[in-house]
Amino acid sequence: MGNRFQVEERFADGAQYIGGRPSHGSSGRSHTVVDPATGKEVLTYALASAADVDAAVAAAEGAFPAWSGATPGERSEALHRLASVLAGQAEDLACAESLQCGKPIRLSREFDVPGTLDNTAFFAGAARHLQGQAAAEYSGDHTSYVRREAIGVVGSIAPWNYPLQMAAWKILPAIAAGNTVVLKPAETTPLTSLMFARAATEAGIPDGVVNIVTGAGRDAGEHLVGHPGVAMTSFTGSTAVGRRVAEIATASVKRLHLELGGKAPFVVFDDADPEAAAHGAVAASLINSGQDCTAATRAYVQRPLYEAFTARVAELMEGVRLGDPFDPSTDLGPLVSHAHRDRVAAFVERARGYATVVTGGSAPGGALAGGAYYRPTLITGAPQDSEAVQAEIFGPVLAVLPFDTDDEGLALANDTPYGLAASAWTRGVYRANRATRELRAGCVWINDHIPIISEMPHGGYKASGFGKDMSSYSFEEYTQVKHVMYDNTAVAAKDWHRTIFGDR
Ligand code: NAD
């Protein structure tokens, strides 16, 4: 799969997947997937048009009655089969993910692919466990119960940073609950979403339940969000695009789920294990080259530990090995594209005007010069209101700031528009408990930062969006609850009719 010709062969039928079949986009425009480690072209494909989106929505609408009418057990079995098909393709999926994103193969093999397999297995089980309040005679005169029903066609839009996992997070809870899906992956990274959809067909999931349209955000993306046949929009991406998506979805009165940007704080109290905190900060700021919505981006360190922490983080960052993503000894690959690398570099160049770049701050040369690489970068002295502390850089860049009191540390941590994730480092149970209460984020770790798990929800507070991915909480997004009420009195004149008829 690392070989360009195999990729071209594998996707020769096009980068769309509609009604259980691959097809070519009909927009008349093409896009080239580039290997960011080398700058070499991997695959040129035709982008989806509005007509392709229409066809995908029609296929999903056509598949909805039978799929939503299948028993939870039947959907569960189909997802178990999907888990097994995906497991058989694990190495191909890992290679495709590393090729299109530049992820180190170790990360693809040990995080992206196993995470996706586990998610699939989780939703195979969860499909049979939709929750609701017990049926009962709450009014006295009626039996009430709830039906948790599928919503219809879900239009999903995913980013490029974890293409396989994002496809899985979007598709699995939706179809487990009986919906059908049209997913638009990022144009730059469509390969593993397409492989996921093909695996669904191989697993016997009916045609039209999972459709992929690979098109540009502005046309295929907006057309999907505004489409009258789409009942719900589920978007993962930047807050800026999320706002636009929200406008369009709201205008057409759709259910909306938004997983947006992050700027996660990493709060180190003075009783923390300094070595654990330093290792944690380096791993959590550099994972996926920092292109992770929950990555540690702002470390606040209580004054007694500040100097030693900064020095140790710089030392550990300097030991991280950049290299060929397909070499298992590589720690850090390139960023997703040269354009994105240049955007990250521009943030750091601007930061030189108001802060100190302690280590990194440049692209490596030599054998890596042709790739979109950027060195792990540590910034100190950036003011709290500066761009380096407030904006989502989405690269291997960590800002470290000191604080004095616990109140101050927690207040600074909460002082950005985002609220996706946060961590606190302390050996004190009261401090830890206070941090979990007061940090305004959808996930708070104590003495760790990054791990996620299928059984637990992932989603933001504040400008990081709303709604949850993964876990049974995601069914709150992908189902609608209907209250059903049966009269038990069998009389014509019900008690409450007195409001109209009085005593007559
Ligand atoms: P992006 O917002 O640029 O693009 C995301 C997707 O939206 C892509 O498929 C893109 O083609 C599409 N898009 C672009 N413009 C559109 C429009 N006008 N209408 C409809 N769709 C449009 O984000 P990105 O650069 O691909 O990904 C990085 C961002 O994703 C970061 O902000 C990151 O924090 C966020 N992210 C969030 C989570 C989370 O769980 N909260 C997870 C992963 C990534």
Side-chain angles (χ1 to χ4, degrees), residues 307-325:
E307 294 294 340
F309 176 89
T310 307
R312 184 70 176 129
V313 166
E315 183 184 17
L316 289 170
M317 280 186 167
E318 283 158 13
V320 167
R321 292 164 301 192
L322 276 70
D324 173 4

Side-chain angles (χ1 to χ4, degrees), residues 157-161 166 169 184-187 215-218 221-222 225 235-239 241 244-245 259-262 293 392 394 420 458 464 469:
I157 297 185
W160 46 256
N161 61 338
M166 292 303 106
W169 289 15
K184 193 201 88 57
E187 306 88 291
R218 277 282 164 85
E222 295 199 6
V225 177
F235 172 82
T236 298
S238 61
T239 298
V241 175
R244 173 81 187 124
V245 165
E259 295 283 358
L260 306 178
C293 49
E392 189 179 37
F394 227 54
L420 188 57
H458 168 88
S464 293
D469 282 322

Side-chain angles (χ1 to χ4, degrees), residues 1 6 10 88-98 113 192 195:
M1 194 73 182
Q6 276 179 303
R10 195 177 278 237
Q89 300 176 3
E91 183 59 13
D92 271 5
L93 287 164
C95 289
E97 198 73 331
S98 283
V113 173
T192 45
M195 291 167 75

